[in-house]
DNA sequence: CGCCTGTTTGAGAAGACTCAAAACGGGTGG
DNA sequence: CCACCCGTTTTGAGTCTTCTCAAACAGGCG
């Protein structure tokens, strides 16, 4: 019954009942996808946005060379397919990483949010700004650090984002990605990912068994990778007041 | 007298007089910076946003290793320092690339936009979404392509963004960047940038004289780099109607 | 003229890539 | 319960791109 988007937004700001209603109305049409299934293909025409309500997905794009870059991972509460806000064609392919649930709504529905719930609109804008900064962090990671640091950063990012919706998680998590996929995310080949993971394990940074990854000493890995958590908090003090209830 | 932000936004959507007033009110405090000057330092506390009203700037961040990554270039009409929407501390350093003009306003001023001009707020959101996609493109570029392609992509991006405000520009532009700065933008060393530029020149992709760069055959360079222009158009058809004038 | 910043060139090293093949592991059908 | 299969992980060897260190070379400015 709990809307995933609402619960993510509530993490930042307690919503009024009216705001909740509006958010909930964006999550009516829910669909289930199996691990590996494609929700939306790059280049497809769409005017819809997608919300993760359970599981993981990623968005990726493909180069003419055939290489693929994974652009982002999406966790419960995340808004996906944001490019359809600005264009009629999707910019990235959405693929289910694990079995997952996704609901979608037409971008037209956002008009109501902007018109009737300015505070909620401001929150969406702030979340988008935060995502922009998180993207910048990844840019730094790919442009200016070596393989080991890139993978460390990826793991820390996943860990911190899983924690937003799952308070249980302490120092390990299940990573439903192949090494080839990790490579597509951090800009390395699968072969090099393998060697690097191995090195990191030997160096005592991580432990692996099956698909479970354990971060041995998070604080020092954060230090090593220069990791910054961009999702935990955002400023809400400048927002306009919530709309009055129409009584 | 023409507000730079307004004129960029008008490029996407004709603004009502009321909308224009609100936008113009964000550009009152204008300051001048000389090439190389720092407008805002990474980590500094701020609650302000910045608008480029003339010239170029870039935002960058520094790794503990001392390496720097240039995250974005900013042209007239661009909103900078967007991280202050979400946090009290700046995430990136803003530096003037050329002599330039910048105006700034407190993030609190955005509240009025969201409250009174929902259509304008939607436009800002859509622009932010488009920037997110542009950032994804750069991620692909750094993660999955070689030096030559990265530099080609950078040049094409600059060219197309300069054209938005300067219709004159055809196939060449002044590049006020050192090779070290180009390297910081595309994730290469200055030495390698030098060699790559030289190669590109020999291959007949570009011509250089002083700070002027000429793209010899734009269409085939676009093809070569898989470049996509993310700034020219955005969809506005889902926006809520403009607020009525209060008479 | 000399200095400073930026560009160019050289040479060797390192990180990451390619191609290739072997080992592993979980799932399926006999 | 075993044998087989397929996708994934691991390992090996050689290559290429990019980096580092270093020094020479412009060009503008006081």
């Amino acid at each position: 019954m709990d809307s995933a988007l609402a619960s993510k937004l509530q993490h930042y700001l307690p919503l009024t009942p009216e705001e909740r209603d509006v958010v909930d109305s964006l999550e009516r049409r829910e669909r289930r996808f199996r691990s590996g299934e494609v929700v939306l293909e790059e280049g497809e025409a769409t005017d819809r946005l997608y919300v993760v309500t359970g599981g993981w997905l990623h968005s990726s794009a493909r180069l003419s060379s055939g290489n693929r870059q994974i652009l982002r991972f999406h966790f419960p509460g995340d808004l996906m397919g944001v490019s359809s806000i600005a264009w009629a064609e999707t910019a990235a392919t959405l693929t289910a990483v694990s079995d997952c649930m996704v609901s979608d709504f037409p971008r037209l529905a956002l008009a109501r949010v902007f018109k009737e719930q300015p505070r909620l609109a401001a929150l969406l804008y702030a979340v988008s700004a935060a995502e922009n900064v998180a993207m910048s962090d990844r840019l730094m990671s790919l442009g200016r650090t070596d393989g080991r640091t890139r993978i460390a950063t990826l793991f820390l990012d996943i860990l911190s984002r899983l924690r937003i919706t799952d308070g249980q998680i302490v120092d390990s998590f299940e990573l439903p990605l192949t090494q080839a996929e990790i490579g597509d995310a951090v800009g390395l080949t699968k072969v090099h990912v393998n060697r690097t993971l191995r090195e990191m394990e030997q160096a005592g940074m991580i432990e692996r068994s099956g698909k479970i990854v354990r971060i041995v000493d998070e604080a020092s890995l954060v230090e090593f990778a220069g990791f910054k958590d961009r999702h935990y908090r955002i400023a809400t003090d400048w927002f306009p007041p919530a709309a009055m209830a129409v009584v």
Side-chain angles (χ1 to χ4, degrees), chain A residues 152 156 203-205 215-227:
Chain A
L156 289 170
M205 305 168 97
I215 306 295
V216 175
D217 178 355
E218 189 173 345
S220 67
L221 201 62
V222 165
E223 166 72 19
F224 167 77
F227 176 71

Side-chain angles (χ1 to χ4, degrees), chain A residues 40-66:
Chain A
L40 187 65
E41 191 86 43
E42 180 181 357
E44 228 174 279
T46 185
D47 62 351
R48 304 201 142 250
L49 286 131
Y50 299 78
V51 181
V52 186
T53 57
W56 287 40
L57 301 92
H58 69 231
S59 46
S60 67
R62 203 167 277 282
L63 258 340
S64 51
S65 65

